[in-house]
Amino acid sequence: MKRSLWLILLLSSQSVWANFDDALLAYHQGHYTRAISEFKRLAKVGDVTAQYNLAYMYARGLGVNKDYDQALTWFYAAAQRGDAESQFHLAGLYEQGLGIKQSHEKALNWYRQSALQGYLPAQISLAGLYGIGLGVDDDIEQSWTWLSVADSQRTQPMIAEAKALLQEQLSPQQLQKAQHQAQAIIKQAWQTTN
């Protein structure tokens, strides 16, 4: 009985992957209508990657008219299941008020969830929100912290320049606090991924 159940699960998972591969191939070949159909079918049964791809296609108008309501629905479904990219895009919809009432507080929350998973664009966006005070009081210490976390993943001149500008505005005590916060976030993210 267990062997039969295992075989059924194995075959069905291979079928799902084959369908996902078909959807991805259709997408890359520009057959967006077919890709949408396949992604939608997989998204409805809970495939997080299909949910993300479907949302992305709705948000960009690939194979369908742009539909931020549908994009929001599918980004939210995948974000709830922990998909960092979906959390990032959902935050962007909230930040810009696309398909939903604009909310910098909700954008901040979703950016944070994504950033804590190590998603670099979310870390940079979070630093930006803190730097200019959208959804929170402006906080250059937190802005520097998140830029430092991003910088630990991929050093880029733009991040280093922004950190240097912010650092000039921080007292030695604030800088030390921000460094400790960044190290704690980096350590937590490292432990989560390993």
Side-chain angles (χ1 to χ4, degrees), residues 19-70:
N19 292 334
F20 185 82
D21 289 343
D22 290 344
L24 205 52
L25 180 62
Y27 174 84
H28 288 298
Q29 291 177 341
H31 302 292
Y32 297 137
T33 304
R34 192 170 93 224
I36 284 274
S37 176
E38 287 296 319
F39 284 140
K40 188 179 288 187
R41 195 170 55 72
L42 294 167
K44 286 180 179 178
V45 296
D47 185 299
V48 173
T49 306
Q51 290 170 342
Y52 167 81
N53 285 310
L54 184 59
Y56 183 85
M57 292 182 78
Y58 276 117
R60 298 286 187 246
L62 301 172
V64 292
N65 292 327
K66 274 188 183 181
D67 187 337
Y68 291 117
D69 291 334
Q70 283 294 314

Side-chain angles (χ1 to χ4, degrees), residues 141 167 169-180:
E141 190 176 299
Q167 192 166 325
Q169 301 173 47
L170 295 172
S171 71
Q173 295 82 10
Q174 288 175 312
L175 179 59
Q176 185 177 22
K177 183 179 173 189
Q179 288 169 332
H180 287 302

